[in-house]
Structures are given as C-alpha cells and as structure tokens.
Amino acid sequence: MISSKIPYDLVSTRLNFWYTAIKNNLINEAKEIKREVEQLIMNMEENQDVLLYYQLLDFRHELMLSYMNAKGLKEVNETYEQLRQNEGNLTGMLEYYFFFFMGMYEFRRRELTTAISAYRIAETKLNDIEDEIEHAEFYFKISEVYYYMKQTFFSLNYAKKALRIYSKYDTYHDHTIHVQCIIAGNLMDILDYEGALIQFKENLRIARKINKEYLVGTSYMNLGICCNARGDYEAAERYLKSALEIFEEGNHSFLPKTIFNMAHALCKGNRKTDAKIYVEKGISLAQMNNDVEYISKFNILQGLYIKEDKHLLDQCFTFFKSRQMYGDIEDFALEAAEYFRRAGRFEMASDYYHIVNIARTEIKKGEIIYENKNDYLGIDDSREHRYLRKFNKK
C-alpha cells in the first residue's frame, strides 16, 4: 500500500518559509504559514528533527509577537518551558537555534549576562549554519545585548559584521535600519550626538521609502532619545509624539519605552506636571504587562523628579544591579548626582557619584571578561543558569 503521509522534507521547506517571515516581522504571513505547517505536521512522515525544528520556530514566533506588540511574555514562557523538555535531543543546526533563541528570550527579559552566555554558546555552533543572512542575524542580535551593557567595542564589532553582510543584498533594508540603530546608539554612548542624529535621520528616510510604519516609529523614537540626551527637549518631545502616534495605534512593544522617554524629556525640561501624566500612564502599562524593567525606570523618574524619594530610587538601583544593568545604573546615577548637586544637596550627590564609579568599574570588568572570552554565567541557581553551566562542562 502506498503511504499517504506528507514527506517531511516538504514540511521542512515550509518551516524555512515560516522562519523567513518571522525574521522579517511579517506577522500576518507568519501566522498563515504557521497554520499551514500545523496541518501538514498532523499528516507528516515521522521525523523527530523536523518536529523539534517546528518547536523552535514556534518559540521564535512567540518572541516576534512579543517584540511587535506591547504585551507580556506569558505565551513565550510557556513555549520556552515546552522546548526545554527536548534540550538533550538537539544537535547541529537545531542546537544552534536553541541557544540563539534562548539568547533572544533572555535579552527580552533583560537577563543580559545570561543572554550573552547563550549567544556565546550559539556562536560556537554558527559554522553549522550555511545561510549568510542567518550569520548577519546572529551578529546583530549579539551586538544589541553588548550595546545595552555599554560594551561599545564588542557591540560595534558585531554590528559592523552584520552590516557588511546585509549591505550585499537589496532586500534587507529593514534589517539594515536595525543594525544602524545599534551603531548610532553606540555613537551616543561616546557623545557623538551629531553623528547619531545623522544616522537616525537616514534611517527615517529609508523606513518611509520602504513603507514600514513601525520602523518609521522606531526612527522617530530614536531621534527623540538622541535629542533628549543632547538637551534639546523641545525637539525630543516633537519626535517622541510622532513615535507615540504610531506605536499606540499598533500597540508595539516600544510603546513603554517611548512613553518613558517622553516623560524623561519633560522631567529634564522642568515640566513635571506634564511628565507626571506620562509616568502614571507608563507605570499602568508596564504593570499590566509585568514589565519589571520599565516599572523600575518609571519609578526612577518618580523618585528623582516627582517625589524625590531616595528609598524608591535605591529600590530601582537594586533591581538594575540584580540584572547586571550597569549601563542604566551609570546613566541614572549620574543624572541623580547632577540633579542633587544643582540643588545644593552635596551629600546626596556624593552618594550617587559613588554609585556611578561602581557601575563604571563593573562595566570595565565586563570588558576584561569578554576580551578573555570567559563566559560569565552569573551566580543565580535558576534552571537556565544551571543548564548553561552543565553545557559548558561538556
């Protein structure tokens, strides 16, 4: 009797199309292909690797949705727990994707050092991946985490690797914009605001040309952040309002970030009454999504500008330290120190200058750790950390 089962290589081909749609943030197309794949798998020839590939892409699909929409990670967490049950059965390409997607997941949770550790393991498996674009995707993602950790040299190094690959092709303008955002962010960290503004304006031009609304919003948001950093609060407000119009309509995951930066610019521009409206709105949204990072960031604004509550500030810095977010500690502690110095409260200012120095020391330690290529796996005893330790012992 001739088998009526669907060949697994056909399903594998559709899985590749699904992954391409996911990487390009094509939500509707990805959902449609996912439904098709689920029907095919029900009648597929038995193949464990194809089933595991499906589970990995389902996880990546949920990560995309959490990125494109302002919502929590509940669905992603559930998919992640299901995926981990098969961690011992992964080899080659599948093992690479497991650690690559784990890195993305940990970054989304702002577990930065765990994300770096997962990416570093994935990098050892990158040779199993023939697709050059996938290499560029990896380089971009790891550059993003290094940027958040203020590891400027490493971030720029990987971002430029990604850019060299994407620039060979005519169909990856949106990916190029993402990489250029990281490069421009690093320019801001070395105080080259003019260079960053030029890049963000170029990103806006390209985003309009390719008609990607969320990238237009991202460009406006980044222009606002840059103007805020250089002290041009009126320009920052204009750009951020344009970003908010786009992100509120699409309920994008950058909505809390944009609201925060609007509140931040208003606080720094001494418009505390207006800022308070955005702070309250942002806290409500962050709490609804269990977004612990932005709950703490909005509380920084509350504790510094609106309530002047040192206890609340200290709670926020404790949270940032627990996530090894030393870049944020440096920035916010310096802002607090300058705020209290201008107010003539020199003892308070001194306390926060001390925190700045500690953060800078930790950032410098990180440079040494990564330069020596010793994975920092943290001291947390969660299952993710234990798994990474176990893997490194193999």
Side-chain angles (χ1 to χ4, degrees):
M1 179 179 290
I2 299 174
S3 172
S4 61
K5 291 288 187 179
I6 296 171
Y8 62 78
D9 56 348
L10 173 62
V11 180
S12 183
T13 299
R14 294 309 294 166
L15 286 169
N16 290 335
F17 280 112
W18 183 23
Y19 185 35
T20 298
I22 291 169
K23 287 191 291 186
N24 288 291
N25 295 314
L26 301 174
I27 296 176
N28 293 333
E29 184 176 334
K31 287 181 177 179
E32 183 177 337
I33 298 174
K34 179 183 179 181
R35 285 193 292 268
E36 178 189 343
V37 166
E38 287 172 341
Q39 290 299 315
L40 291 172
I41 283 179
M42 290 175 63
N43 299 292
M44 184 187 72
E45 295 173 348
E46 185 175 348
N47 187 287
Q48 188 64 23
D49 283 349
V50 174
L51 290 174
L52 289 172
Y53 188 29
Y54 164 77
Q55 287 185 297
L56 285 161
L57 292 189
D58 189 34
F59 179 49
R60 179 67 177 87
H61 184 99
E62 293 295 339
L63 282 169
M64 174 197 65
L65 294 178
S66 76
Y67 169 76
M68 295 298 291
N69 298 288
K71 64 177 187 177
L73 288 169
K74 181 180 178 181
E75 292 86 355
V76 184
N77 294 339
E78 291 173 355
T79 308
Y80 173 63
E81 289 301 324
Q82 293 171 7
L83 182 61
R84 287 188 69 257
Q85 294 175 11
N86 293 302
E87 62 192 29
N89 301 320
L90 301 169
T91 58
M93 179 188 75
L94 297 179
E95 193 170 33
Y96 161 77
Y97 283 129
F98 175 78
F99 283 108
F100 182 34
F101 298 163
M102 180 196 286
M104 295 173 61
Y105 169 73
E106 296 294 358
F107 176 66
R108 184 74 173 83
R109 299 199 308 147
R110 289 300 185 265
E111 295 285 355
L112 301 181
T113 51
T114 315
I116 284 292
S117 295
Y119 281 145
R120 293 283 292 273
I121 296 171
E123 191 169 16
T124 68
K125 310 295 176 183
L126 196 55
N127 289 335
D128 293 322
I129 307 298
E130 295 181 2
D131 183 8
E132 186 179 39
I133 293 298
E134 186 64 23
H135 286 233
E137 182 85 353
F138 171 81
Y139 295 143
F140 161 65
K141 292 297 184 182
I142 195 170
S143 74
E144 191 176 30
V145 185
Y146 278 129
Y147 165 64
Y148 271 79
M149 299 180 78
K150 281 204 170 181
Q151 302 296 332
T152 303
F153 171 80
F154 296 100
S155 179
L156 284 173
N157 182 48
Y158 280 108
K160 288 177 180 179
K161 283 184 177 182
L163 196 60
R164 280 195 291 269
I165 295 173
Y166 285 134
S167 63
K168 297 179 184 179
Y169 303 87
D170 295 328
T171 55
Y172 288 92
H173 296 298
D174 49 345
H175 294 74
T176 299
I177 288 176
H178 288 306
V179 177
Q180 294 284 24
C181 283
I182 297 299
I183 292 174
N186 280 292
L187 291 178
M188 287 176 58
D189 281 344
I190 60 174
L191 307 184
D192 183 5
Y193 298 121
E194 291 303 318
L197 280 173
I198 290 170
Q199 186 58 67
F200 288 137
K201 287 177 180 178
E202 175 64 10
N203 289 350
L204 178 60
R205 184 191 69 79
I206 297 172
R208 285 171 171 162
K209 182 179 178 181
I210 64 177
N211 198 29
K212 289 289 183 74
E213 193 71 358
Y214 83 93
L215 289 177
V216 172
T218 301
S219 300
Y220 277 131
M221 179 190 70
N222 286 324
L223 282 164
I225 291 171
C226 190
C227 288
N228 183 28
R230 73 199 293 255
D232 189 350
Y233 306 125
E234 290 184 5
E237 183 180 1
R238 288 197 304 272
Y239 285 127
L240 291 166
K241 277 185 177 178
S242 296
L244 277 175
E245 290 175 3
I246 293 171
F247 292 147
E248 285 178 335
E249 182 177 350
N251 196 33
H252 193 274
S253 64
F254 281 168
L255 183 56
K257 182 175 183 177
T258 308
I259 294 172
F260 167 79
N261 281 284
M262 175 67 85
H264 196 193
L266 292 170
C267 283
K268 290 170 71 176
N270 201 29
R271 292 170 56 190
K272 297 180 183 180
T273 302
D274 293 331
K276 186 177 179 181
I277 297 171
Y278 284 99
V279 169
E280 291 174 350
K281 180 179 180 179
I283 287 178
S284 177
L285 179 62
Q287 288 176 338
M288 182 175 66
N289 293 328
N290 194 30
D291 187 342
V292 290
E293 176 192 3
Y294 273 94
I295 290 173
S296 288
K297 287 185 174 180
F298 281 112
N299 279 332
I300 282 280
L301 299 184
Q302 290 241 63
L304 184 59
Y305 292 102
I306 296 172
K307 296 181 178 179
E308 289 198 12
D309 184 339
K310 187 177 187 301
H311 178 68
L312 183 58
L313 285 174
D314 290 346
Q315 284 183 327
C316 296
F317 285 118
T318 298
F319 167 77
F320 294 141
K321 184 179 179 181
S322 73
R323 298 293 180 96
Q324 290 86 43
M325 296 169 67
Y326 293 110
D328 286 302
I329 293 174
E330 180 189 13
D331 290 341
F332 289 128
L334 182 59
E335 188 171 336
E338 290 292 296
Y339 178 89
F340 289 118
R341 181 189 62 81
R342 289 192 298 270
R345 299 165 69 178
F346 299 114
E347 186 174 346
M348 289 273 283
S350 178
D351 289 343
Y352 288 106
Y353 280 128
H354 180 61
I355 293 173
V356 172
N357 288 331
I358 292 173
R360 287 174 176 171
T361 299
E362 293 298 328
I363 291 169
K364 181 61 67 176
K365 284 181 183 178
E367 292 175 358
I368 296 170
I369 289 170
Y370 302 129
E371 191 169 349
N372 291 336
K373 297 189 181 298
N374 295 322
D375 285 340
Y376 175 72
L377 300 179
I379 57 173
D380 190 291
D381 283 328
S382 67
R383 285 183 294 175
E384 290 88 350
H385 288 79
R386 291 202 300 273
Y387 180 80
L388 287 170
R389 290 195 189 98
K390 180 177 72 175
F391 181 87
N392 279 344
K393 291 177 181 177
K394 291 181 180 179

